[in-house]
Each structure stands twice: as structure tokens, then as C-alpha cells.
Amino acid sequence: MYLRNLQNKTLCLLVLIVFTNCSKKNDDLSIPENSVFEPKTELISLTEKESNLTLAWKPVIIDGFINYKVYRLDSHTDAFDNPNLIVNLGELVYQTDNNLNTEYVDNEVPYNSFINYAVVTEYFNEVNTMTSVTSINYLSYENEDLFFSLTSLEKLADGSFKLVWEQDFNNAFENYTIYTLNNGSATSSSDIVNIGEVLHIQNIQENTSIIDNTQYTDEVVSYAVSKKINGKIILSKNFLSIENPRNLSFLPSQTLKNPNDENEIIIINKEGGIVFYNVNTLNSQNVEIDGKIFYCSIGKFNGIEDLYVPSENGKVYVIDLNTYEIKEIIDLNTDYNIISAIAIDNHILFLEKHFQNSATIGGTFVYDRVNNNVLNRNGSYTMNLNSKLIFAKENYFFFVVWNGLEYQNTSATRRLNINGNEVSIDLSFNDSRIDSRLFALSSDQSYFVSTEFGYQSTINYPNVTEFTTGSYSNSPIYGDVKITENDNIYFTVPTSSRIDVFLKNGFNSPIVQYATIGEPLFIEIFENHLISINQIENSYFIETIPKQ
């Protein structure tokens, strides 16, 4: 009896073992072949059918599984760095606690260019703490009827920008809106739409380009476009940016007009750069020299006009005004700075100064271009860093200095005399209203305007003197001055962001005032417009102002 009971129990145990083993084998067979045995899943497909989207992913086979969460983000782009952005920016649309349920059918697909999905797995880790991890990838559905791109952005011959984008073909089209951003911070179309400005709204569906002649101030201009379809705003997939040809990356120290090109100005960067800038096309040619640049001039030698660029270590660079090439480097045999240089006949009159700003050692000397030697460098002299030379006519020139006063007790008008190797300079002892920070000579060389007060002085060349006839301001407000051939006098007024225009001897009030975008630092005058180089905070740009 006991033996029979033992046999029966043994038989039941064997049956139980066999059943258990079979159950485990069946469980093993039920695990999908594409399963992953870690928490992070992988999305494998996103398909469209009858306006629905079906998302599928690999099942996760782990201990401690809690659930899957599906996140959806509708957007104008599918260019995301990682799936976590879909989770962080999107919305939770589905959740399941069945680890073998790895499909989601979205029957409420948003109306947008791209629909992006990612899946999060929640589980208990080895210390029984609930943890979540995002799928290794995300998938996007592209709505071909909605998404569109910007295709090109270029600068035209007149300096304006042309933007082109892809056409929309939806029957419910309403309009395009073009946006711009001019601070260089854009990373997406939505940035430009959200913080930029509306340039134009275009209601014609076939019109997919725009020409923009706005005068932008910052270094980079960015564009995005949206379109409105059936009341829904769709953003362009991408944005395009272009360098602003009106922006300068440096604080200019001087401007000149190129006598060989009526549409070109020369902008000096004291750190060693020269920009030849066409004011019509906004194209530029850059020349770099090896050293700092001081006060430049345009001079003539052997009948050819060139740009003379004084620099460090006794160098004067001669720049061709047509080819923009450095055609000659004149070595004045000193390690001092050459702070100003002008061409007079076959000579160069130059100012040299000790390279330490606090040292006033230096002098006014003459270089013989034919014999390649300095004629009069002897003895001990002094020189102010802010001193400048301006050519007048024949062998006359102006020596101007800024010493913190609005006048000096010797004439600015000087006469250079050279007899063989002997050099002398004539001047007179009389008060001169002069300041090297602001100086302009009339086209007939009969008078000049100088100082922040705008003093006008008539020149007496035989007596090497000048007589001040009046002032265009009662307070020091002017920053730059230019005189036209018809004797209109243009002043920049940086503190008031404007340009004042006077008739010669019309000291009482300006005949025209022009508002500027920012503080005008330098101006050049052309037949139909003014070119003003302005400053806004630490940004510098070139503004074109039509003449009134």
C-alpha cells in the first residue's frame, strides 16, 4: 500500500516537471525574434494608411518592465539631434503595460509638415527604482502636401538679397509670410518666425521669391517663410542666412574716396586692414598689411595716384587704387611708427614717432623717392601721436594736431622747401582753429573746416597762414566733415544720430538734416546719396542715404 502511494506521488511529480518544462519552452517560443533584452527599444516602422499612421517598435524583454509611452511632436522639420527632443517637446499620445504590444495606430494625425514619434520604456532597475529610457531613434512622417523648403538666397548686383522657396499647390492656400532676423542667433525657422520681423505677406501662390533691399545692421541676415493653408500656419523646413555686406567687423579709423572709381570708398582698419568698398554693388576688396595703420593719404608720383599707408617699423605701403595690390613698401630706415605720410612731387613728407604712445620722440622728415634716402633726419625732435599731414597743393600742406585744445598758436598751413639735401618748412605764428580729429579741405583748396565746433578758415598760401571766418556750431558736437564741389558742408552729429548740411558761410542753421540709423562716425558724399558709417553699440555698418 505504501509502495503504491509512493509510485503515484512519483508519477505526479514527473508529470508536473514535464508540464513545467513544456510551459517554459512555449514561453521561449512566444518571444518575438526582433526583441531586445535591454530597456531601450528601437522604432522599426512608421506607415500611413487612410489618413492614419501606424508606429511599430521592437519589444523589450526585461525583468521589471512597467510600460511603454509613445510621444508625438508635429513640426515644420524632422531635423532633430536625438529622440529626447521629441519626448521633451512633444505630447504623450499612448501608453501600454504589455511589453509585447509594440504597435500604435494614430488616428488623430496633426496637420503639419512632419509628425515625429519616439517611445519611452519605464521599468524598475536592479535597486527597484522606477527608471525611464528613450528609444535609440525616432521616426518621422513627411506630409508631402505641406512641407516646403527655401531653395536659394543670393546677393544681387545692386546689393539687394533675393530669396526663393518651393511653391505650394494646395487648394486651400491663403498666403506666404516672409520673415527676417538680423542678429545671427537663428537656429531654426521657428526662431526667425518667433523673434524676427515680418518682411512681406504674399497672397499669390505662384509668386515664390522676394527681393529685399533693406539696410540691415548686423553681420548675418536670416530668412524663413511660413504659409497659411486652411487657417493652419506651416513653417518652411529650413532657413537660410547670408552675410550682410553693409556690416563692418571693426571700428573704422578713416575713410577716403577712391579717385579712380567714382563709386568706391576706402575704409581703414587701424589694426592692419584696408577695405575698398563699392557703394552701389556693396562688393568689397580687402588688403591686409603686416602692422598697424595710421593716417593714410592719396598722393601722386610720376603722374599716378596711389594710396599711401603709413605703418609700424618705419614702413609706408603704396597701394594701387585699381588693382588693390601692394605695389611698393617704402622702408624709412627706422623702428619708429610712421603716423602720417603725403606725396609731394618726388618726395614723401612723413611724421615719425616713437612706438611707445607715452613717448613724444619723433619728427617731420622728407624721403627722396628718386635717391631712396631720408634727407633731414638729424638732431632731436618731438612728435604728438595725433598729428597728421594733409596735402594742399604744389609744395603746400597742412600740419594738424590734437592737443586737447580747439586751436594752436602756429599756422596749420605750411610750405615745404627742398634744395638738394636741404629741407626747410615755412609757417607763421598766429592762432589757428585746428584739430586733427576733424578736418576737411575745400575742392579749390581755398578754405578748410576743422574742430568739433566746425570752424571755417580762409587760407593765405603766400603768407602760410589762415584766418577763421566763423563756426557752424556753438558747442563741440561734430564728428566728421566733408565739403562738396559746390561748397555744401556736411557734418556728422554722433550724439544726435544725424547729419547736418550747411551752405558755405551759412553759419546760423543747416539747410538740410538727415537722420541716421545709429551714431554716424564717417561720411562720404556722392551725387545722389550719402554714405554714412554708423555705430550701434559695438556694431558698425554702412548706410546709404538718398539726397534730398
Side-chain angles (χ1 to χ4, degrees):
M1 185 68 173
Y2 173 79
L3 180 60
R4 181 180 298 172
N5 289 337
L6 180 60
Q7 290 174 340
N8 289 337
K9 289 180 180 179
T10 302
L11 180 61
C12 290
L13 180 60
L14 290 173
V15 171
L16 178 61
I17 292 173
V18 171
F19 177 81
T20 301
N21 287 339
C22 290
S23 175
K24 287 184 177 179
K25 186 177 294 185
N26 289 336
D27 285 345
D28 290 341
L29 293 175
S30 67
I31 297 176
E33 292 183 359
N34 64 346
S35 298
V36 294
F37 298 91
E38 59 176 329
K40 183 176 292 190
T41 186
E42 179 182 353
L43 310 190
I44 54 178
S45 66
L46 179 61
T47 56
E48 178 196 15
K49 184 178 181 181
E50 297 177 353
S51 300
N52 296 331
L53 294 178
T54 300
L55 176 70
W57 60 93
K58 293 181 178 181
V60 171
I61 309 299
I62 58 170
D63 292 333
F65 175 86
I66 300 175
N67 59 43
Y68 299 119
K69 290 183 176 179
V70 178
Y71 288 85
R72 179 185 67 199
L73 174 65
D74 67 292
S75 68
H76 63 280
T77 180
D78 60 348
F80 297 100
D81 292 336
N82 61 69
N84 287 314
L85 290 174
I86 310 300
V87 175
N88 295 334
L89 300 176
E91 61 175 329
L92 176 64
V93 293
Y94 178 69
Q95 180 174 327
T96 177
D97 58 4
N98 183 349
N99 68 324
L100 298 183
N101 184 358
T102 58
E103 187 174 280
Y104 165 64
V105 178
D106 191 348
N107 54 18
E108 296 181 354
V109 178
Y111 192 72
N112 212 333
S113 299
F114 293 91
I115 314 300
N116 310 278
Y117 296 90
V119 174
V120 171
T121 304
E122 290 187 336
Y123 64 100
F124 290 109
N125 62 17
E126 61 275 6
V127 295
N128 207 33
T129 300
M130 190 176 75
T131 307
S132 63
V133 62
T134 304
S135 53
I136 64 173
N137 64 329
Y138 71 92
L139 293 179
S140 298
Y141 166 73
E142 179 183 289
N143 189 332
E144 295 181 354
D145 293 331
L146 294 181
F147 98 89
F148 71 109
S149 299
L150 311 187
T151 57
S152 66
L153 175 61
E154 62 177 333
K155 184 174 76 68
L156 302 180
D158 63 354
S160 60
F161 299 138
K162 182 178 181 180
L163 176 70
V164 181
W165 60 92
E166 293 176 332
Q167 182 180 341
D168 178 79
F169 293 96
N170 288 282
N171 292 330
F173 170 85
E174 296 182 39
N175 59 50
Y176 302 111
T177 302
I178 299 91
Y179 301 84
T180 63
L181 182 64
N182 186 215
N183 63 12
S185 64
T187 59
S188 67
S189 296
S190 57
D191 287 344
I192 300 171
V193 171
N194 292 333
I195 63 177
E197 296 183 355
V198 173
L199 176 65
H200 181 67
I201 297 177
Q202 173 58 261
N203 297 316
I204 301 175
Q205 193 171 18
E206 294 79 15
N207 192 340
T208 58
S209 67
I210 189 171
I211 294 176
D212 182 12
N213 56 13
T214 305
Q215 298 192 50
Y216 294 101
T217 60
D218 283 346
E219 184 177 0
V220 175
V221 185
S222 300
Y223 292 84
V225 176
S226 71
K227 59 183 179 181
K228 190 174 184 180
I229 302 173
N230 198 24
K232 174 69 175 181
I233 303 298
I234 307 297
L235 304 188
S236 56
K237 178 180 179 179
N238 62 328
F239 72 97
L240 294 178
S241 298
I242 193 168
E243 289 187 2
N244 178 13
R246 293 185 178 274
N247 179 266
L248 294 174
S249 60
F250 59 89
L251 170 62
S253 60
Q254 184 186 359
T255 63
L256 309 93
K257 291 178 76 172
N258 187 345
N260 291 0
D261 189 331
E262 62 181 7
N263 298 315
E264 194 168 77
I265 63 173
I266 304 168
I267 307 171
I268 305 300
N269 176 3
K270 65 181 180 180
E271 298 302 322
I274 304 161
V275 178
F276 291 85
Y277 186 86
N278 188 297
V279 299
N280 289 340
T281 66
L282 310 189
N283 292 331
S284 61
Q285 294 284 339
N286 298 324
V287 178
E288 300 291 332
I289 70 164
D290 186 19
K292 292 184 180 296
I293 296 177
F294 297 94
Y295 191 69
C296 301
S297 66
I298 292 174
K300 186 178 292 186
F301 178 63
N302 288 336
I304 299 174
E305 285 188 302
D306 294 305
L307 177 67
Y308 289 78
V309 182
S311 186
E312 300 174 294
N313 298 314
K315 301 293 193 300
V316 175
Y317 294 80
V318 183
I319 311 295
D320 192 301
L321 292 172
N322 296 312
T323 66
Y324 315 119
E325 295 178 350
I326 300 174
K327 61 191 298 184
E328 185 179 1
I329 302 176
I330 299 174
D331 189 345
L332 298 176
N333 195 29
T334 178
D335 60 355
Y336 282 16
N337 295 332
I338 308 303
I339 61 173
S340 188
I342 58 175
I344 299 181
D345 294 330
N346 294 328
H347 300 86
I348 293 178
L349 179 67
F350 65 94
L351 306 180
E352 73 175 37
K353 184 196 170 297
H354 194 280
F355 44 79
Q356 291 183 352
N357 288 342
S358 59
T360 58
I361 305 171
T364 304
F365 305 119
V366 174
Y367 175 77
D368 187 333
R369 296 194 72 175
V370 176
N371 297 308
N372 298 322
N373 66 306
V374 177
L375 300 182
N376 61 330
R377 185 185 285 135
N378 52 62
S380 178
Y381 304 90
T382 62
M383 182 54 58
N384 187 302
L385 176 62
N386 299 294
S387 300
K388 297 174 182 176
L389 299 172
I390 296 98
F391 177 71
K393 63 179 183 178
E394 301 167 358
N395 60 331
Y396 291 94
F397 67 95
F398 302 99
F399 179 88
V400 296
V401 64
W402 170 51
N403 55 12
L405 303 174
E406 65 187 55
Y407 63 90
Q408 59 190 48
N409 56 15
T410 57
S411 64
T413 309
R414 309 285 171 98
R415 181 170 50 230
L416 176 65
N417 305 299
I418 301 175
N419 184 12
N421 290 333
E422 298 297 321
V423 175
S424 65
I425 295 176
D426 297 329
L427 55 85
S428 62
F429 291 91
N430 69 294
D431 289 344
S432 178
R433 303 286 183 170
I434 199 75
D435 188 328
S436 62
R437 291 171 295 181
L438 184 148
F439 182 94
L441 179 64
S442 65
S443 59
D444 64 358
Q445 299 93 36
S446 65
Y447 69 97
F448 63 76
V449 175
S450 188
T451 86
E452 294 174 303
F453 293 86
Y455 284 109
Q456 178 178 298
S457 299
T458 301
I459 305 164
N460 185 324
Y461 286 102
N463 293 332
V464 288
T465 188
E466 61 269 352
F467 174 73
T468 300
T469 56
S471 169
Y472 291 94
S473 174
N474 294 321
S475 59
I477 60 173
Y478 297 134
D480 189 24
V481 60
K482 293 295 187 299
I483 304 173
T484 64
E485 290 186 358
N486 61 351
D487 289 320
N488 285 344
I489 302 170
Y490 290 73
F491 292 98
T492 65
V493 188
T495 56
S496 299
S497 296
R498 73 171 193 266
I499 295 169
D500 289 349
V501 186
F502 293 83
L503 293 175
K504 180 185 177 183
N505 299 322
F507 300 112
N508 293 329
S509 61
I511 57 172
V512 179
Q513 290 182 319
Y514 297 93
T516 60
I517 303 172
E519 300 179 7
L521 305 179
F522 297 96
I523 50 171
E524 295 294 343
I525 314 303
F526 292 83
E527 182 178 359
N528 297 317
H529 55 265
L530 288 63
I531 297 297
S532 179
I533 299 183
N534 306 336
Q535 178 176 1
I536 297 180
E537 297 180 349
N538 294 321
S539 178
Y540 311 97
F541 76 102
I542 302 166
E543 181 182 8
T544 302
I545 304 173
K547 277 188 177 180
Q548 296 182 13

